[in-house]
Amino acid sequence: MDEKQLIKLIERYLAGQCSEEEKTEVEQWYETFEQQQRLFLNGDAKKMEDSAERSLTAIQKKLLRNKENHLKPASEEPIANPKSRSIKRFPFWAAAACVLLCLSAVIGLYFKQTPAPEKYTVFSAGVGKVKYWKLPDGSSVWLNAGSIMKLPANFNNEKREVYLEGEAFFNVAKQVDKPFIIHAGNLRTQVLGTAFSVSAYPDATLNTVTVVNGKVQVSDTSQVLGNLTADRKMEYSNSSGKHVIATTDAAKEMSWKAQQLVFTDLPMADIALRLQRWYGYQFYFKSQALKNVRFTASFKNTISLQHLLTIMQGVSPVNYQLDHKAKTVIFL
């Protein structure tokens, strides 16, 4: 419903000419508008009260000029003092009258605050899959298992931004006038032309950014955390917001693109999540302390889950219970 249609519908509502369906539509719109108004005023109680007083004053003036009584329910008491009621308590028809009186400002405000939702192209890699795509700007992206990337419809028009949940390797085509920006969890990674990976699964304890070549700048929601160059890696704690930058073998860490399961000094909690997305089993911990034990290993991603767990058990303090029927693993 556009602005002109809404104006006509409210006019019909006040004139008592709406069908029951149209009445419901207007009332639902008003509920939405009231929520938008609260957001616009940042929930400020004083501003909301002032708005209510202005609205009620306007309604009183409208009622004095209105010679018809069919709009006023018999059960409602006359409004004697604009300060005596809040915007929530006066009857809906009065609120609609106020909206009509201030139509250009109110409805204009509503439509400005309700932009059309942005359209995205969604790329995803399912359980046990690695997927590759070529983006419209010439950049290449590999998504690891259980990952989702959203590409706005206006990608590469004035800017290049993508939204990632999970893990991806990017080989970004260089465009000096259009930095490539990845939004992933609390991290924002910006580059011009670089090969690097971002890992930001929603339930992981750590988000990571690892650079193969070139340079990237990583920020969180409040500040720039650092610049990374080749074979440098940042680990960002989702719980504390602290980060660490260290040297790494970036090419080895990227070997998941070539059918490898690679864990480089990762906590068991994050390893369990990666295995969960690759094998489709649910992982649990009997010992909470085990979640923080770090582990480094590399496996072919065709290895069976039981074989992989047996190897982990032989070289680390990890014991497990595997139930193929229930598709669960418990680390002990």
Side-chain angles (χ1 to χ4, degrees), residues 3 42 58 60 75 80 145 164 214-215 224-225 227 230 279 285 323:
E3 184 175 341
N42 296 319
Q60 285 183 309
S75 61
L164 173 69
K215 182 179 181 180
V224 174
L225 301 178
N227 296 313
Y279 291 101
F285 287 83
D323 187 332

Side-chain angles (χ1 to χ4, degrees), residues 32-303:
T32 304
F33 164 73
E34 192 174 32
Q35 294 168 11
Q36 294 285 341
Q37 183 191 43
R38 183 173 295 277
L39 289 174
F40 180 74
L41 297 175
N42 296 319
D44 190 305
K46 181 64 167 61
K47 291 180 180 178
M48 292 294 292
E49 182 66 22
D50 289 347
S51 176
E53 289 180 13
R54 289 194 301 271
S55 298
L56 289 169
T57 300
I59 291 166
Q60 285 183 309
K61 292 179 181 178
K62 172 72 175 180
L63 293 175
L64 289 173
R65 295 195 302 267
N66 193 342
K67 296 180 181 181
E68 297 180 5
N69 296 321
H70 66 274
L71 286 177
K72 181 179 178 182
S75 61
E76 289 292 341
E77 299 176 1
I79 302 172
N81 184 347
K83 292 186 179 182
S84 64
R85 301 193 181 197
S86 69
I87 191 76
K88 273 289 187 184
R89 294 180 59 192
F90 64 81
F92 174 79
W93 60 266
C98 173
V99 171
L100 186 60
L101 284 173
C102 309
L103 212 45
S104 60
V106 172
I107 295 182
L109 172 65
Y110 172 79
F111 277 93
K112 285 179 182 178
Q113 292 183 70
T114 314
E118 190 165 9
K119 296 181 179 179
Y120 296 91
T121 300
V122 179
F123 304 88
S124 63
V127 173
K129 302 290 184 181
V130 174
K131 294 291 189 73
Y132 166 81
W133 284 276
K134 194 85 167 181
L135 301 185
D137 68 330
S139 299
S140 298
V141 178
W142 287 258
L143 286 184
N144 205 351
S147 301
I148 298 173
M149 183 182 72
K150 295 197 303 183
L151 199 73
N154 64 357
F155 177 82
N156 204 36
N157 289 345
E158 297 180 358
K159 56 185 179 180
R160 298 184 293 171
E161 290 188 272
V162 301
Y163 298 83
L164 173 69
E165 286 188 5
E167 184 171 22
F169 176 83
F170 296 88
N171 194 345
V172 175
K174 188 170 185 178
Q175 293 188 32
V176 176
D177 59 332
K178 294 179 186 177
F180 194 104
I181 300 171
I182 301 96
H183 300 273
N186 291 325
L187 297 183
R188 178 181 183 273
T189 305
Q190 178 172 319
V191 303
L192 291 176
T194 301
F196 66 104
S197 77
V198 176
S199 179
Y201 287 105
D203 43 5
T205 59
L206 296 174
N207 288 354
T208 63
V209 179
T210 308
V211 177
V212 176
N213 60 62
K215 182 179 181 180
V216 309
Q217 183 182 84
V218 184
S219 308
D220 64 7
T221 56
S222 61
Q223 63 182 329
V224 174
L225 301 178
N227 296 313
L228 304 179
T229 53
D231 288 326
R232 298 286 281 173
K233 173 182 179 178
M234 177 184 291
E235 289 187 349
Y236 176 91
S237 170
N238 289 317
S239 60
S240 68
K242 295 180 179 179
H243 69 282
V244 176
I245 298 175
T247 300
T248 189
D249 185 343
K252 185 177 180 180
E253 290 203 32
M254 298 307 104
S255 58
W256 59 263
K257 299 198 292 83
Q259 314 305 312
Q260 295 284 326
L261 292 171
V262 181
F263 313 128
T264 305
D265 194 32
L266 283 180
M268 283 298 300
D270 285 4
I271 290 174
L273 291 171
R274 289 170 181 252
L275 293 177
Q276 182 171 300
R277 293 183 180 94
W278 190 257
Y279 291 101
Y281 281 57
Q282 294 296 313
F283 284 74
Y284 304 96
F285 287 83
K286 187 172 183 179
S287 168
Q288 294 300 306
L290 190 57
K291 288 184 175 183
N292 298 318
V293 173
R294 289 182 172 253
F295 187 81
T296 298
S298 178
F299 306 93
K300 282 290 285 185
N301 64 16
T302 54
I303 188 173

